[in-house]
């Protein structure tokens, strides 16, 4: 069939600007989605191209197929405020000189039905004469949530829902989390030796893992809405927390947990573009005003013991439209986030070396029973250069 035979060629000739797909953002084809038709896989691949681009909107891909089975247009979500996947696919079809009357639209998320920064995609599909829409999954946004399908059906368009649902939800796990839990999907990244040390006892940590692993870590930063660290890491390592080692169409929001407002005004984290968000437990006006003058947003969310209320931070980040939160912090803050049940999955890079006594991944209390261990499930295990990358999810955490 023409559609299947020419998919590789279509990737080369697409009129959309496709970003390089980082290995970090490409889930393995397993489970029910492994046997999907090629056109669904193409729509999902297009959605992957939007992962580093579309936040806070979901990453969506759309493919248009003519009544005769010819692929006539394709597109993915653009940067916030710009066109959605369906509109990009319709523009692509027009640029190729194809009529869309009677065509089928394969889209990885329910077309929107509300007026936001852009117009409703449902209206664009109806106006284009689309006859059928095959959508992977319903949009969890309460402003849509089935209303898009209702509007399409009311216009006489046939609607099918389900193919590619698992993969589409996984691509947009942060968006689904924010819509359904009102908090971001929290992914904690650590890099350690095989015996679990993230730094020597004297604090030296650069570099335990390879350049390949560090570049891969930046690919995960690039897909996140925000990157969070603690004041201990800022004072010890002076990180930038921006994306430098892979191409990036936007920089993630940078966040510091700083209970006592100790962030230096000349910290590297201020040098990248965009505002830095600082969460604190301090009400001291002098450092607050100094950091605000430096370009920081300072939010006071005090918790117990003079520390920041981390659960309140997650709720606030949900309100601030953070979909995926990428944590790169020290063992103390890591431990606090884990103890409070705020981490959804762990991104762990293991280097093939032994360091002996040093700093661990998490400061956790001693357990008296193995039954009290935090149960995880491995999502993937891959070689990245000489290192091993593990993705482990808290059991049941994705069931929301």
């Amino acid at each position: 069939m023409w559609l299947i035979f020419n998919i590789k060629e279509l990737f080369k000739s697409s009129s959309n600007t496709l970003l390089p797909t980082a290995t970090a953002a490409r889930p393995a084809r397993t489970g029910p989605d492994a046997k999907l038709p090629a056109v669904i896989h193409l729509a999902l691949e297009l959605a992957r191209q939007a992962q580093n681009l579309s936040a806070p909107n979901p990453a969506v891909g759309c493919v248009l197929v003519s009544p005769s089975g010819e692929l006539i247009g394709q597109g993915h979500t653009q940067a916030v405020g710009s066109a959605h996947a369906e509109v990009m696919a319709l523009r692509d079809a027009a640029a190729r000189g194809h009529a869309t009357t009677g065509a089928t639209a394969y889209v990885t998320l329910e077309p929107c039905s509300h007026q936001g920064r852009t117009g409703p995609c449902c209206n664009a599909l109806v106006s284009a004469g689309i006859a059928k829409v095959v959508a992977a999954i319903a949009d969890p946004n309460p402003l849509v949530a089935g209303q898009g399908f209702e509007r399409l059906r009311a216009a006489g368009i046939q609607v099918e829902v389900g193919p590619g649902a698992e993969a589409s939800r996984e691509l947009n796990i942060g968006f689904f989390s924010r819509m359904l839990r009102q908090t971001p999907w929290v992914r904690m990244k650590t890099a350690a030796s095989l015996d679990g040390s993230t730094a020597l006892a004297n604090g030296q940590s650069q570099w335990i893992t390879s350049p390949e692993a560090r570049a891969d870590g930046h690919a995960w930063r690039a897909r996140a809405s925000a990157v969070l660290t603690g004041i201990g890491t800022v004072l010890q390592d002076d990180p930038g927390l921006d994306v430098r080692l892979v191409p990036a169409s936007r920089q993630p929001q940078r966040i510091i947990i700083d209970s006592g407002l100790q962030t230096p005004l000349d910290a590297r984290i201020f040098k990248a573009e965009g505002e830095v968000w600082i969460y604190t437990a301090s009400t001291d006006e002098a450092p607050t005003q100094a950091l605000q003058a430096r370009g920081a947003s300072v939010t006071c969310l005090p918790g117990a013991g003079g520390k920041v209320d981390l659960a309140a931070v997650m709720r606030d980040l949900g309100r601030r439209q953070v979909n995926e939160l990428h944590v790169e912090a020290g063992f103390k803050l890591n431990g606090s986030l884990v103890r409070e049940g705020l981490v959804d999955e762990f991104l762990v890079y293991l280097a093939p070396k032994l360091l002996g006594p040093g700093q661990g991944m998490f400061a956790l209390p001693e357990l008296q029973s193995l039954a009290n261990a935090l149960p995880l499930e491995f999502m993937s295990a891959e070689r990245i250069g000489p290192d091993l990358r593990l993705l482990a999810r808290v059991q049941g955490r994705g069931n929301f």
Side-chain angles (χ1 to χ4, degrees), residues 64-124:
L64 302 178
V65 178
S66 72
S68 63
E70 180 182 359
L71 198 158
I72 57 175
Q74 60 182 2
H76 61 68
T77 313
Q78 300 298 296
V80 62
S82 300
H84 291 188
E86 299 89 335
V87 172
M88 291 299 294
L90 292 169
R91 290 177 182 174
D92 187 39
R96 296 172 185 270
H98 294 298
T100 55
T101 302
T104 296
Y106 294 86
V107 61
T108 60
L109 189 71
E110 176 183 4
C112 65
S113 55
H114 65 293
Q115 178 68 48
R117 298 181 181 92
T118 60
C121 292
C122 286
N123 293 0

Side-chain angles (χ1 to χ4, degrees), residues 36-311:
L36 292 170
V39 65
I40 302 295
H41 281 304
L42 176 55
L44 289 167
E45 180 61 30
L46 288 164
R48 290 185 186 99
Q49 308 308 318
Q51 273 192 311
N52 299 2
L53 179 67
S54 63
N57 291 332
V60 182
C62 180
V63 176
L64 302 178
V65 178
S66 72
S68 63
E70 180 182 359
L71 198 158
I72 57 175
Q74 60 182 2
H76 61 68
T77 313
Q78 300 298 296
V80 62
S82 300
H84 291 188
E86 299 89 335
V87 172
M88 291 299 294
L90 292 169
R91 290 177 182 174
D92 187 39
R96 296 172 185 270
H98 294 298
T100 55
T101 302
T104 296
Y106 294 86
V107 61
T108 60
L109 189 71
E110 176 183 4
C112 65
S113 55
H114 65 293
Q115 178 68 48
R117 298 181 181 92
T118 60
C121 292
C122 286
N123 293 0
L125 294 171
V126 171
S127 298
I130 298 298
K132 181 178 180 179
V133 171
V134 179
I137 194 169
D139 191 333
N141 187 341
L143 296 176
V144 186
Q147 296 178 59
F149 295 145
E150 291 179 8
R151 182 172 296 186
L152 292 171
R153 291 187 176 109
I157 296 176
Q158 183 182 351
V159 176
E160 178 183 343
V161 184
E166 181 181 330
S168 179
R169 188 179 190 276
E170 195 65 30
L171 281 169
N172 290 292
I173 190 72
F175 180 75
F176 274 77
S177 175
R178 180 166 66 86
M179 288 296 153
L180 298 176
R181 302 190 303 181
Q182 288 75 55
T183 56
W185 180 259
V186 181
R187 183 180 298 114
M188 179 174 285
K189 178 254 183 180
T190 59
S193 60
L194 192 58
D195 54 345
S197 290
T198 60
L200 299 180
N202 63 10
Q204 184 180 351
S205 62
Q206 298 178 348
W207 299 101
I208 293 174
T209 53
S210 65
E212 294 92 335
R214 296 198 295 276
D216 191 73
H218 276 236
W220 285 89
R221 280 186 189 178
R223 68 170 273 174
S225 300
V227 181
L228 179 146
T229 195
I231 185 58
T233 299
V234 171
L235 295 176
Q236 181 168 305
D237 297 337
D238 195 21
L241 293 190
D242 54 334
V243 179
R244 302 180 305 278
L245 303 181
V246 297
S249 57
R250 60 168 179 81
Q251 288 292 337
Q253 180 64 53
R254 300 177 307 288
I255 303 170
I256 306 171
I257 302 297
D258 181 3
S259 297
L261 291 180
Q262 299 174 276
T263 301
L265 298 179
D266 60 351
R268 281 184 60 215
I269 199 167
F270 291 115
K271 295 181 179 177
E273 63 183 65
E275 187 180 54
V276 175
W277 295 350
I278 298 176
Y279 287 94
T280 185
S282 172
T283 57
D284 193 333
E285 291 188 7
T288 297
Q289 292 173 358
L291 288 165
Q292 289 172 335
R294 189 67 178 84
S297 166
V298 181
T299 303
C300 184
L301 293 175
K307 301 295 184 181
V308 173
D309 184 338
L310 297 175

